[in-house]
Amino acid sequence: MKKIYVASSWRNEYQQTLVKDLRQLGFDVYDFKNPGGEAGFKWSNLDADWQNWTTEEYRNALKHDYAKFGFNRDFNAMKEADVCVLCIPCGRSAHLEAGWMKGAGKKAIAFIPQAEKIEPELMYGLLDGIAVNVQEILDIIQES
């Protein structure tokens, strides 16, 4: 059974459905929002005012035990996964995750639901494909 890491955003309305659909198809899917049935990492658990941090405060927060725990949990799941599905829309972290996974020799697929209006991105050419539905994700995973 292939392991899939879904990289996305906390605000992404498609992420939870995608995780559920891929699991129903028999994949072992990492859900950063509920890793192993536990609560996912949130900056707000460190500081309710996290969105107003200076760069120095952010840099220091990365050294906090809670941030290190969250990073290691997600990064270990990335290392264990065979495939990354970048679920659009998402931000910088998800793109770093997909880039790292592609660079590590794993399949990386952008999932852009048909309802999403996106700005074209040339560097998505690095990925193994762009899917607009779950069937297309499966097709790309099965390509050798």
Side-chain angles (χ1 to χ4, degrees), residues 107-110 128-132 135-144:
K107 278 210 176 191
I109 303 162
D128 294 287
I130 297 174
V132 298
Q135 182 58 54
E136 289 186 357
I137 292 172
L138 293 176
D139 292 345
I140 296 166
I141 288 172
Q142 293 170 355
E143 291 172 1
S144 45

Side-chain angles (χ1 to χ4, degrees), residues 41 62 65-78:
F41 175 83
L62 284 171
D65 286 343
Y66 175 67
K68 288 179 185 179
F69 170 78
F71 171 83
N72 287 325
R73 181 171 55 186
D74 289 355
F75 191 48
N76 286 335
M78 290 167 58

Side-chain angles (χ1 to χ4, degrees), residues 10 30-42 66 69 73:
W10 278 93
Y30 182 75
D31 177 8
F32 70 90
K33 291 182 181 181
N34 305 288
E38 298 177 10
F41 175 83
K42 291 184 180 181
Y66 175 67
F69 170 78
R73 181 171 55 186

Side-chain angles (χ1 to χ4, degrees), residues 110-123:
F111 171 61
I112 307 173
Q114 289 177 324
E116 280 301 306
K117 175 83 172 127
I118 64 147
E119 181 178 328
E121 175 54 60
L122 185 63
M123 289 298 114

Side-chain angles (χ1 to χ4, degrees), residues 8-86:
S8 194
S9 165
W10 278 93
R11 295 175 295 277
N12 186 303
E13 63 187 79
Y14 308 103
Q15 186 266 352
Q16 287 293 284
T17 300
L18 180 61
V19 167
K20 180 179 71 78
D21 290 348
L22 291 170
R23 284 179 175 164
Q24 286 178 341
L25 291 169
F27 293 103
D28 181 354
V29 182
Y30 182 75
D31 177 8
F32 70 90
K33 291 182 181 181
N34 305 288
E38 298 177 10
F41 175 83
K42 291 184 180 181
W43 287 113
S44 59
N45 287 343
L46 275 178
D47 181 358
D49 195 40
W50 66 275
Q51 291 177 310
N52 293 311
W53 283 345
T54 64
T55 301
E56 291 79 13
E57 289 170 318
Y58 162 62
R59 187 174 54 201
N60 288 332
L62 284 171
K63 298 174 187 173
H64 190 281
D65 286 343
Y66 175 67
K68 288 179 185 179
F69 170 78
F71 171 83
N72 287 325
R73 181 171 55 186
D74 289 355
F75 191 48
N76 286 335
M78 290 167 58
K79 290 186 277 189
E80 292 174 6
D82 305 297
V83 177
C84 176
V85 176
L86 179 66

